[in-house]
Amino acid sequence: MAVSRNVALCRTLLPRLVALVLAVALVACSATAAGLNSFQSPDGRYAFLYPTGWTRVQVSGGPQVVFHDLINSDETLSLVISEVNPTNDLEKLGSAVAVGEQLRRTVIAPEGSGRAAELVEASERQEGPRTFYDLEYAVHLDDRDRHELATVVLDRGRLYTFAASTNEIRWAKVKDMFHQVVTSFTLLV
């Protein structure tokens, strides 16, 4: 009699316990992405998260996608897509450090730009079949210092460089969010 009462109690409590665990897990997941919106390209090729309150702006002759903060307008997200040899993979272009240094010299602080940049960190991560290089830069301009995070991935002859940038004064406040945004970049096809 006591055994059947315990079994009946377990049958009643188990579904409630499972529901509670799932609810806690879902709240934790949504809290991780709190304050972020999703963006997907019109062709369905890529997607990423961007901070709530940021707006997309059109830039002629520049990156394919640019978002900036309405309050701190010098905080930006940008996506540059470059055509490369379709037979290349990211590793053929070099290590994360080598690619990071190449971007530093040719894009972030090219000679004569008045900018100096230091590659602070370079790492590699695997997302499914794709390799991503995550890069961090300290950028020095005449009137201020900036911080930039970028991720680079190569797919089907296209090199995607997705970057988030802010002034050094705000870096400590936004670095965790910027890491989450930059590593959210994904290719969908």
Side-chain angles (χ1 to χ4, degrees), residues 9-175:
L9 185 60
C10 284
R11 285 185 181 153
T12 304
L13 290 178
L14 188 59
R16 290 180 183 166
L17 183 59
V18 168
L20 178 63
V21 168
L22 286 174
V24 168
L26 288 173
V27 168
C29 288
S30 66
T32 301
L36 298 176
N37 297 320
S38 61
F39 175 85
Q40 182 174 332
S41 64
D43 62 3
R45 189 173 292 271
Y46 57 85
F48 57 85
L49 298 175
Y50 68 94
T52 301
W54 287 36
T55 188
R56 185 170 180 190
V57 294
Q58 296 298 321
V59 178
S60 59
Q64 278 78 0
V65 179
V66 176
F67 280 84
H68 76 87
D69 187 346
L70 290 173
I71 296 169
N72 298 296
S73 61
D74 65 338
E75 290 185 8
T76 61
L77 290 177
S78 63
L79 174 64
V80 175
I81 304 171
S82 309
E83 298 293 325
V84 296
N85 183 336
T87 62
N88 276 351
D89 59 20
L90 199 54
E91 291 84 2
K92 285 183 184 174
L93 296 179
S95 67
V97 171
V99 170
E101 283 296 331
Q102 179 69 17
L103 283 173
R104 181 190 64 78
R105 285 189 308 274
T106 60
V107 177
I108 297 171
E111 194 171 317
S113 68
R115 293 177 289 210
E118 171 190 350
L119 179 62
V120 175
E121 187 175 337
S123 61
E124 179 180 318
R125 79 183 143 87
Q126 211 55 42
E127 294 278 331
R130 294 185 179 95
T131 300
F132 287 77
Y133 289 166
D134 295 326
L135 310 166
E136 180 179 346
Y137 298 95
V139 182
H140 311 287
L141 297 104
D142 289 337
D143 60 343
R144 67 191 180 282
D145 290 336
R146 297 187 58 76
H147 218 94
E148 184 165 316
L149 293 179
T151 194
V152 178
V153 63
L154 196 146
D155 184 62
R156 299 181 194 156
R158 291 185 178 104
L159 180 69
Y160 296 84
T161 306
F162 183 60
S165 181
T166 188
N167 62 56
E168 194 64 40
I169 294 167
R170 294 226 350 117
W171 174 242
K173 289 182 179 182
V174 299
K175 72 179 182 177

